[in-house]
Amino acid sequence: MARRVRDESDFRDRASNKNSRPRTKQRPQHEDAETGLVTGVDRGRYTLLLDENTPDERTILAMKARELTRNRVVCGDRVDIVGDTTGEDGTLARIVRIQERTSTLRRTADDTDPYERIIVANADQLVIVTALAQPEPRTRMIDRCVVAAYDAGMDVLLCLTKADLADATPLRELYEPIGVKVVVTRRVHDDGAAEDAWRIEPLEAVRAELEGRTSVLVGHSGVGKSTLVNALVPDAYRATGVVNDVTGRGRHTSTSAVALRLPDADGDPAGWVIDTPGVRSFGLAHVDVENLLKAFDDLDVVAEDCPRGCTHLDGAPDCALDDWLEASPEDEKAARTARVESFRRLLAARTGTV
């Protein structure tokens, strides 16, 4: 039998151990990396601001490096970038590091979902935008936002809109006792203006609470959040919508989080506003109850005398908060009661007992 002649189909490629280079686990240090602020995220592309407030300030587009595949980059992050950082059309830089965050605002889909979703990073104030009517205010939603902010170590500002339609007093009395600042706005229609042309007043009162800070605005659809952003940042051009007459709910108009530079009355940079898409749920599965308690300095001290494993809820056995209320002087009784009730309301929102 004739011996078969070998051809190229018989070739088998085998790596040689003699000349192959072992894969290294060391990664480049990127010592020449520049630092930028993430101002927008869109389908794997990140808008960054470099050299902020300098003559060389510019906006660039970037993507994540392979080593950051499992790390979430969000609006407000400070990141290190390499590659083409000129910002010219068609250029794409690479994010190689996420700098340490000063704060992280997170939420879960519901109270049983173990997966945390980071909304924004490095913000120091949460602005909860709530309409007094059309749609009706949802206090449980506000409570949950307050809990998430306190867990993140952020200050809270409650911005009540559409005061021309309803009284803001009940909500003020509900949230000011727990240290939440409240600002109230109303819509004003100028004579001779178009039917849908409204002004927001007092706009400067809102601006004063935002200047010098990085504030993230949250709120469910239809409360006037994007309208407020457009008034504060005239060139923001955030899409606005209307409230459905049947359901009483708004329609999602903001589709992604974006950081916008807040101008002062003279047009100079005065802070940052991060507008987020409207939310209809705010899960708190990630929140540690102890972090919530630390937001109430006086109650945190009192709770040190609670038995181990105390839930601090109404009716909890031997809870030191109840003893504190019973021992309160007559002139402090009402204030202490309101304080404890407010804390327990937020706590109940976290534990899902309301």
Side-chain angles (χ1 to χ4, degrees), residues 44-330:
R45 294 293 183 264
Y46 302 86
T47 303
L48 311 177
L49 183 68
L50 270 64
D51 295 326
E52 182 181 347
N53 297 328
T54 72
D56 295 326
E57 179 179 295
R58 62 200 180 279
T59 299
I60 71 167
L61 200 64
M63 62 178 290
K64 286 193 298 186
R66 180 176 297 179
E67 55 264 33
L68 294 180
T69 300
R70 297 187 178 182
N71 298 88
R72 184 174 172 84
V73 177
V74 298
C75 215
D77 266 326
R78 295 278 178 178
V79 296
D80 292 338
I81 317 105
V82 298
D84 193 333
T85 61
T86 61
E88 297 178 357
D89 289 343
T91 60
L92 187 65
R94 191 158 47 99
I95 300 173
V96 294
R97 272 190 303 269
I98 304 172
Q99 295 190 2
E100 185 176 355
R101 293 162 170 161
T102 58
S103 68
T104 305
L105 181 64
R106 301 166 293 167
R107 74 179 181 98
T108 55
D110 54 50
D111 290 340
T112 61
D113 185 5
Y115 181 72
E116 299 176 8
R117 293 161 179 79
I118 302 176
I119 302 175
V120 296
N122 302 322
D124 50 28
Q125 180 172 240
L126 178 65
V127 182
I128 307 170
V129 184
T130 301
L132 291 166
Q134 296 181 8
E136 295 298 317
R138 296 161 57 185
T139 55
R140 290 184 63 181
M141 179 71 166
I142 300 173
D143 290 345
R144 287 173 168 270
C145 292
V146 172
V147 170
Y150 283 164
D151 178 69
M154 299 168 61
D155 295 331
V156 183
L157 173 67
L158 178 60
C159 182
L160 301 177
T161 64
K162 305 182 184 179
D164 50 296
L165 300 178
D167 184 17
T169 303
L171 284 180
R172 296 192 78 130
E173 293 177 345
L174 199 58
Y175 290 99
E176 285 180 334
I178 60 175
V180 174
K181 286 186 177 180
V182 180
V183 61
V184 182
T185 67
R186 60 182 51 82
R187 301 173 303 171
V188 178
H189 189 269
D190 293 328
D191 293 337
E195 185 176 347
D196 59 349
W198 298 90
R199 285 188 297 106
I200 296 178
E201 291 186 351
L203 188 62
E204 292 310 311
V206 181
R207 192 188 306 276
E209 297 294 342
L210 304 181
E211 288 185 350
R213 315 195 70 169
T214 299
S215 304
V216 52
L217 276 65
V218 299
H220 55 89
S221 304
V223 297
K225 179 168 58 65
S226 294
T227 301
L228 179 64
V229 170
N230 287 336
L232 291 167
V233 187
D235 57 351
Y237 304 117
R238 298 296 275 174
T240 59
V242 296
V243 177
N244 188 297
D245 293 333
V246 177
T247 64
R249 288 183 173 181
R251 180 172 176 268
H252 291 295
T253 53
S254 301
T255 57
S256 62
V258 60
L260 304 165
R261 183 177 270 147
L262 176 73
D264 61 15
D266 298 324
D268 297 322
W272 286 94
V273 172
I274 302 178
D275 187 21
T276 62
V279 294
R280 287 180 178 162
S281 65
F282 213 103
L284 300 173
H286 64 285
V287 172
D288 186 342
V289 173
E290 294 305 314
N291 287 345
L292 176 59
L293 187 59
K294 289 176 182 177
F296 295 79
D297 297 337
D298 50 348
L299 303 187
D300 190 25
V301 174
V302 174
E304 292 178 357
D305 295 328
C306 285
R308 186 175 181 180
C310 181
T311 63
H312 309 301
L313 290 168
D314 190 21
D318 302 320
C319 181
L321 298 181
D322 294 321
D323 297 336
W324 185 63
L325 288 179
E326 292 180 4
S328 60
E330 194 62 34

